[in-house]
């Protein structure tokens, strides 16, 4: 029950019919709730998230593309993440969005999980602190967060059906704390249920979880919505505590719930509760008295102040893993740089629902050249990591945009009834292509004025939901009018059809893709234009030769949304393609090689210490190319620390042997020994430990003092001296030394500080008594025994500088 239901909400619930009330329990289309016009209840709008706010368009309305979760996790800086939340709220308001579908706070249980990049960390305390900051920032701006995915959506393998089998202690110590903190401390306004089952029952039907833990134990008074197409029943889901089925048209709640109430299968007060949660949310986001932005077009606001916050987040979330002193580069001493690698152009992002269309696509080799005006900068791709025919690079298209024409027939005839511009190469229309024009009665032409940067045989292609053709200069080049089944476009897509076309560098070509429905019942239209530049047989050798001839080689490797995405997991920890060989060959050719890794999850780095420096850049969003260049030349300082362990081999990871499960179940057999808890307890040496990250300066730790600060917590005071010549950030980490059944090391507190060169700062780290305790299955609660605890204070989970003791009275 919403505890403080306003008279408005109570009055509306009273005034509504059962059908009106039930109508609010199911979405309309992908992103909206229905309005109840008779009573002036407006239509609530939701949007993904979490690394930007996409809005309701799947064709590429632009918004600020922000860093992925693991980069945010690497900041270890809740204050900064709160500012990022405020930026997200501004972005949401520009898109008329009331509920942001994020943050993703599931724990990184295995680095192979496809959505690892969306999560913050493998550690519950770090995840919880950042979740509270993120939610407070967004909701402080008047926009709701829908924290997700509740609970244990920790892998994509069989994500719609698998049962995560987790014991009570592990659930409460590892997998639930971030949700709990977001509810209790940040008062999060909405929660999204996970697709998977938890201990055999779908999360959306888990009364113990939704009514027991979430509402009764934590006092949650907000809205519980399903993940998209993740509702499986009417009565079970409704009674268990699911308030809203997304998206529409509904299959289980909505009219079916109205029928169940009328038939007496669900009590009307159960429905009333849901409506109170829904109207309560509308009241919180300030639209119950009328939505000021309803019906307004979504804005594309490229705001420099928001970008500046994103830049600070990226600098503070980029992790300098290794540095033999080559970084920062000194611009005066460098006359030539080879920028190499498949990700050295526009940086990549993870795939799936978190994707947004950026305002700008800067290329790393260009931003590096801008920072080193006195040097010759050459760019060589070295190898390619395309899993499928790559999409047309919009930086080679006039205006960076595709122009779209909509026709109210299936044959592209007559004048278009509407036009649009799109800033992404994959376009999709679900339900309607334009207001009032259903996809199945429409056709669409997409035009690109394309100027190839290299000449030769280009592979051009099409993937579409519907039948399609690609014309080059008016001539049909690719015919996909009899599409074969593919996997894209929510399963409605065709296989890719391609042709090789000889193109001349610098000449402009008109590419036109035409798409129309496959049948009268197709609800989805979509098209993606593919264009793969001619490949030189000696790309690899050219890259190595360029490296050998340059003062410094910068290799930008990594992954992309075709390898790392919602919907599937990674097969292993390796970098796709020949990237390992490329790094090793470049390192052999030039000892001054810096490797920049643009990926969202840990990758194997057997070459790490043979390179001169390694920067983990994650998926930094649209400011990334500029910030990375600033970091390389020392205009900014990388101050991230790893929020996940980087193992040497997959066999060393805690879920190995349990993941991905079999027969519909995955046992969380590692229990609480997740990530560094496992590695430290088993004395397994990682490639890079949890909490690790270097700086452009060095820090000394002095004698530590510990004292009580009020009931329930202590403070560890750590004098930190910057012993180098540059200002820098340090993240002081406090671990509990475990014994017996406890893990060897448990993060119990941390603080990030900036210390000027040569200065000392006394860093205060709060450690709550709760953090020192454990979940007790006898009392179903956390227990901290009075006594003396050993604390390890250091700069990572392995770099312990001081040991001290703390007494809980
Ligand atoms: C994802 C959610 C997302 C939703 C809407 C689902 O596939 O699991 O995280 O918010 O789609 O796009």
């Amino acid at each position: 029950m919403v505890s403080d239901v306003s008279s408005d909400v109570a009055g509306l619930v009273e005034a509504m019919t059962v059908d009106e009330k039930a109508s609010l329990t199911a979405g309309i289309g992908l992103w909206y709730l229905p309005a109840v016009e008779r009573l002036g209840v407006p239509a609530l709008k939701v949007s993904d998230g979490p690394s930007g706010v996409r809005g309701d368009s799947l064709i590429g309305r632009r918004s600020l593309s922000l860093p992925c979760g693991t980069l945010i996790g690497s900041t270890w800086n809740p204050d900064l993440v709160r500012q990022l939340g405020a930026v997200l709220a501004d972005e949401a308001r520009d898109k008329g969005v009331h509920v942001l579908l994020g943050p993703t706070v599931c724990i990184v249980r295995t680095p192979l999980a496809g959505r690892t990049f969306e999560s913050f960390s493998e550690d519950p305390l770090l995840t919880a602190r950042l979740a509270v900051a993120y939610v407070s920032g967004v909701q402080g701006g008047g926009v709701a967060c829908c924290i997700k995915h509740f609970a244990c959506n920790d892998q994509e393998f069989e994500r719609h059906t698998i049962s995560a089998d987790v014991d009570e202690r592990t659930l409460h110590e590892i997998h639930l704390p971030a949700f709990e903190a977001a509810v209790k401390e940040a008062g999060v306004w909405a929660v999204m249920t996970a697709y998977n089952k938890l201990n055999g029952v779908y999360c959306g039907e888990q009364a113990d979880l939704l009514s027991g833990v979430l509402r009764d134990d934590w006092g949650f008074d907000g809205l519980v919505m399903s993940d998209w197409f993740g509702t499986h029943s009417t009565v079970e889901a409704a009674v268990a505590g699911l308030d809203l089925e997304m998206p529409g048209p509904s299959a289980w709640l909505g009219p079916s719930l109205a029928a169940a109430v009328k038939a007496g299968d669900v009590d009307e007060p159960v429905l009333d509760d849901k409506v109170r949660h829904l109207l309560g949310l509308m009241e919180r986001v300030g639209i119950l008295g009328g939505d000021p932005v309803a019906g307004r077009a979504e804005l594309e606001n490229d705001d420099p102040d928001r970008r500046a916050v994103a830049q600070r987040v990226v600098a503070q979330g980029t992790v300098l893993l290794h540095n033999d002193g080559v970084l920062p580069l000194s611009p005066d001493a460098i006359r030539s740089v080879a920028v190499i690698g498949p990700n050295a152009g526009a940086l990549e992002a993870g795939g799936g629902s978190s994707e947004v269309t950026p305002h700008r696509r800067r290329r790393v080799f260009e931003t590096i050249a801008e920072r080193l005006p006195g040097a010759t900068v050459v760019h060589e791709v070295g190898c390619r990591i395309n899993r499928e025919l790559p999409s047309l690079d919009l930086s080679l298209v006039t205006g960076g945009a595709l122009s779209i024409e909509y026709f109210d027939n299936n044959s592209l005839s007559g004048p278009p009834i509407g036009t649009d511009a799109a800033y992404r190469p994959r376009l999709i229309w679900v339900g309607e292509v334009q207001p009032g024009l259903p996809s199945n009665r429409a056709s669409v032409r997409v035009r690109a004025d394309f100027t190839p940067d290299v000449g030769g045989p280009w592979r051009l292609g099409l993937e579409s939901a519907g039948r399609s053709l690609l014309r080059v200069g008016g001539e049909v080049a690719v015919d996909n009018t009899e599409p074969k089944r593919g996997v894209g476009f929510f399963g409605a897509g065709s296989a890719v059809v391609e042709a090789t076309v000889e193109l001349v560098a610098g000449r402009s070509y008109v590419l036109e893709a035409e798409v129309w429905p496959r049948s009268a019942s197709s609800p989805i239209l979509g098209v993606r234009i593919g264009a793969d530049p001619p490949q030189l047989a000696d790309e690899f050798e050219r890259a190595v030769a360029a490296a050998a001839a340059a003062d410094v080689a910068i290799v930008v490797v990594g992954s992309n949304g075709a390898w790392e995405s919602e919907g599937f997991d990674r097969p292993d920890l390796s970098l796709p393609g020949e990237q390992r060989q490329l790094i090793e060959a470049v390192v052999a050719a030039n000892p001054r090689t810096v490797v920049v890794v643009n990926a969202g999850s840990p990758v194997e780095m057997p070459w790490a210490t043979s390179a001169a420096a390694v920067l983990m850049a994650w998926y930094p969003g649209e400011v990334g190319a500029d910030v990375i260049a600033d970091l390389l030349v020392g205009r900014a300082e990388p101050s991230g620390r790893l929020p996940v362990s980087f193992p040497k081999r997959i066999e060393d990871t805690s879920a190995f042997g349990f993941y991905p499960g079999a027969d519909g179940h995955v046992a969380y057999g590692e229990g609480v020994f997740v990530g560094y808890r496992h590695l430290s307890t088993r004395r397994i040496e990682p490639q890079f430990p949890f909490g690790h990250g270097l700086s452009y300066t060095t820090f000394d730790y002095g004698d530590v003092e510990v004292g009580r600060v009020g009931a329930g917590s202590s403070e560890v005071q750590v004098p930190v001296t910057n012993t180098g010549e540059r200002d820098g950030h340090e993240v002081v980490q406090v671990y509990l030394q475990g014994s017996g059944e406890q893990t060897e090391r448990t993060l119990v507190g941390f603080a990030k500080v900036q210390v000027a060169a040569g200065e000392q700062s006394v860093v205060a780290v709060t450690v709550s008594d709760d953090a020192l305790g454990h979940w007790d299955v006898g009392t179903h609660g956390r227990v901290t025994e009075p006594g003396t605890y050993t604390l390890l204070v250091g700069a990572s989970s392995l770099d312990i500088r001081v040991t001290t003791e703390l007494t809980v009275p």
Side-chain angles (χ1 to χ4, degrees):
M1 292 262 287
V2 172
S3 38
D4 296 312
V5 175
S6 75
S7 53
D8 282 0
V9 169
L12 282 167
V13 176
E14 185 80 4
M16 282 183 192
T17 64
V18 166
D19 289 319
E20 284 168 338
K21 287 188 281 195
S23 74
L24 286 176
T25 66
I28 293 259
L30 283 173
W31 314 117
Y32 291 89
L33 258 65
V36 181
E37 273 158 24
R38 181 179 77 85
L39 297 168
V41 174
L44 192 81
K45 179 175 181 182
V46 307
S47 171
D48 289 310
S51 43
V53 184
R54 192 174 54 234
D56 64 10
S57 165
L58 294 173
I59 65 157
R61 209 73 70 223
R62 286 165 297 182
S63 43
L64 179 61
S65 138
L66 289 164
C68 69
T70 35
L71 187 149
I72 294 172
S74 302
T75 65
W76 292 65
N77 189 339
D79 289 339
L80 186 56
V81 173
R82 190 170 292 112
Q83 293 170 38
L84 181 71
V87 166
L88 281 157
D90 290 341
E91 287 284 308
R93 253 194 310 280
D94 283 345
K95 296 283 189 285
V97 164
H98 310 119
V99 183
L100 174 65
L101 303 174
T104 304
V105 299
C106 288
I107 289 296
V108 177
R109 175 173 178 255
T110 168
L112 299 182
R115 294 181 94 163
T116 296
F117 70 91
E118 282 188 46
S119 292
F120 294 142
S121 171
E122 68 189 22
D123 181 79
L125 179 82
L126 180 58
T127 305
R129 293 301 98 222
L130 298 178
V132 167
Y134 184 113
V135 172
S136 307
V138 174
Q139 295 193 167
V143 173
C145 276
C146 180
I147 201 164
K148 63 191 187 184
H149 306 85
F150 193 54
C152 297
N153 182 180
D154 302 326
Q155 62 186 54
E156 296 303 282
F157 175 78
E158 296 184 354
R159 67 168 171 164
H160 291 283
T161 51
I162 198 136
S163 172
D165 294 346
V166 195
D167 65 78
E168 183 185 324
R169 177 180 168 201
T170 303
L171 195 58
H172 285 273
E173 279 189 27
I174 304 289
H175 300 280
L176 296 186
F179 290 100
E180 181 175 2
V183 170
K184 288 184 175 168
E185 296 178 47
V188 69
W189 293 339
V191 170
M192 186 189 293
T193 55
Y195 281 132
N196 50 282
K197 297 174 189 151
L198 182 63
N199 295 323
V201 181
Y202 278 114
C203 289
E205 299 176 356
Q206 265 275 3
D208 287 351
L209 190 67
L210 303 182
S211 301
V213 172
L214 182 62
R215 293 212 188 266
D216 297 345
D217 299 348
W218 299 348
F220 178 67
D221 62 3
L223 174 80
V224 177
M225 76 173 78
S226 73
D227 198 347
W228 269 230
F229 308 102
T231 309
H232 300 275
S233 59
T234 303
V235 177
E236 288 86 342
V239 172
L242 187 69
D243 297 320
L244 171 63
E245 174 191 1
M246 284 304 284
S250 75
W252 298 103
L253 301 188
S256 308
L257 181 55
V261 170
K262 289 175 193 169
D265 296 335
V266 174
D267 294 338
E268 194 165 344
V270 172
L271 174 60
D272 290 350
D273 260 358
K274 299 185 191 313
V275 179
R276 272 191 282 273
H277 301 147
L278 281 149
L279 297 174
L281 177 63
M282 293 183 195
E283 190 164 59
R284 284 171 157 165
V285 298
I287 61 168
L288 210 45
D291 181 357
V293 296
R296 193 196 66 188
E298 295 189 341
L299 305 179
E300 297 181 308
N301 194 351
D302 185 10
D303 181 295
D305 293 337
R306 296 180 200 169
R307 228 164 40 232
V309 174
Q311 281 166 346
R312 285 203 295 282
V313 173
V314 173
Q316 291 212 17
T318 302
V319 187
L320 180 60
L321 292 174
H322 166 72
N323 186 14
D324 71 3
V326 69
L327 291 183
L329 302 172
S330 33
D332 299 341
I334 295 175
R335 276 195 290 284
S336 58
V337 181
V339 185
I340 291 165
N343 291 32
L347 291 164
E348 298 288 346
S353 59
S354 68
E355 285 175 59
V356 299
T357 304
H359 292 290
R360 53 175 59 67
R361 298 174 195 269
R362 302 269 286 147
R363 298 160 181 244
V364 181
F365 61 85
E366 286 166 357
T367 57
I368 290 176
E370 286 168 14
R371 305 308 188 277
L372 298 171
T376 312
V377 175
V378 295
H379 169 229
E380 290 289 345
V381 65
C383 68
R384 296 177 194 235
I385 56 167
N386 306 320
R387 194 168 199 174
E388 51 188 13
L389 182 71
S391 297
L392 178 66
D393 177 355
L394 293 187
S395 63
L396 301 175
V397 171
T398 307
L402 304 173
S403 44
I404 304 176
E405 292 176 334
Y406 299 107
F407 299 86
D408 60 359
N409 52 68
N410 290 158
S411 54
L412 299 110
S413 39
I417 59 111
T419 59
D420 214 336
Y423 298 85
R424 58 184 299 133
R426 182 189 292 270
L427 309 178
I428 179 162
W429 299 269
V430 180
E432 295 184 333
V433 297
Q434 288 270 277
L437 178 55
S439 314
N440 61 349
R441 294 218 315 270
S443 50
V444 180
R445 178 179 291 124
V446 178
R447 174 184 163 132
D449 292 316
F450 170 56
T451 310
D453 53 350
V454 283
W458 281 70
R459 284 166 64 216
L460 300 180
L462 277 179
E463 181 189 1
S464 58
R467 302 175 192 276
S468 57
L469 282 177
L470 178 68
R471 297 178 199 276
V472 179
E475 298 292 318
V476 173
V478 178
D479 184 335
N480 193 24
T481 50
E482 292 301 329
K484 295 208 170 47
R485 200 171 186 79
V487 291
F489 299 106
F490 304 123
S494 71
V496 177
V497 178
E498 58 177 78
T500 301
V501 181
E502 198 67 37
L503 301 178
V504 178
R507 183 187 289 178
S508 190
Y509 296 85
V510 176
L511 306 184
E512 286 170 307
E514 297 172 350
V515 59
W516 61 97
R518 211 186 148 111
S519 76
S521 61
S522 309
I524 295 182
L525 270 187
V527 66
R528 179 176 78 89
I529 304 179
D532 192 22
Q535 212 155 324
L536 300 173
D538 59 350
E539 274 175 356
F540 193 99
E541 293 73 19
R542 286 168 61 101
V544 177
D551 291 341
V552 175
I554 298 169
V555 190
V556 190
V557 292
S559 191
N560 60 38
W563 296 99
E564 209 180 338
S565 172
E566 175 178 340
F568 52 88
D569 294 332
R570 291 190 299 156
D572 53 45
L573 286 176
S574 63
L575 285 167
E578 295 198 319
Q579 297 186 95
R580 174 178 174 175
Q581 292 87 327
L582 180 67
I583 296 165
E584 288 173 349
V586 170
V587 166
N590 189 332
R592 285 163 60 80
T593 293
V594 179
V595 182
V596 178
V597 183
N598 170 214
S601 321
V603 294
E604 260 168 18
M605 297 186 179
W607 36 262
T609 46
S610 57
V614 183
L615 264 187
M616 187 67 202
W618 306 106
Y619 292 133
E622 67 177 278
V623 300
D626 280 286
V627 177
I628 287 168
D630 284 343
L631 296 172
L632 290 170
V633 301
R635 284 195 204 173
E637 177 218 12
S639 67
R641 303 291 184 264
L642 290 181
V644 285
S645 308
F646 273 46
K648 285 192 174 152
R649 346 168 282 158
I650 192 63
E651 290 83 349
D652 293 344
T653 57
S654 45
F656 183 78
F658 302 110
Y659 163 85
D663 303 326
H665 290 263
V666 53
Y668 281 36
E670 72 283 6
V672 297
F673 295 82
V674 172
Y676 70 91
R677 287 164 160 78
H678 164 79
L679 295 168
S680 60
T681 308
R682 296 280 177 94
R683 308 274 194 277
I684 300 170
E685 197 192 328
Q687 182 72 52
F688 293 108
F690 175 81
H692 171 74
L694 305 171
S695 152
Y696 287 156
T697 183
T698 46
F699 297 96
D700 266 2
Y701 286 45
D703 288 340
V704 165
E705 285 185 19
V706 181
R708 296 294 284 172
V709 280
S713 56
S714 306
E715 192 171 84
V716 181
Q717 294 198 342
V718 189
V720 172
T721 307
N722 180 341
T723 49
E725 279 163 17
R726 296 176 58 107
D727 300 352
H729 287 85
E730 176 65 327
V731 178
V732 175
Q733 302 162 37
V734 179
Y735 294 88
L736 170 68
Q737 166 83 63
S739 62
E741 286 186 6
Q742 308 308 319
T743 59
E744 160 86 17
R745 264 165 219 190
T746 305
L747 183 74
V748 293
F750 63 91
K752 186 169 197 171
V753 275
Q754 186 171 23
V755 190
E759 301 283 313
Q760 187 187 76
S761 173
V762 178
V763 183
V765 182
T766 305
V767 177
S768 76
D769 292 350
D770 259 1
L772 301 167
H774 62 275
W775 185 265
D776 179 49
V777 289
T779 56
H780 304 296
R782 273 195 93 87
V783 174
T784 305
E785 308 290 348
T788 299
Y789 293 83
T790 302
L791 300 183
L792 310 172
V793 181
S796 85
S797 57
L798 287 189
D799 182 5
I800 302 303
R801 308 285 181 88
V802 186
T803 300
T804 188
E805 291 193 332
L806 179 161
T807 301
V808 174

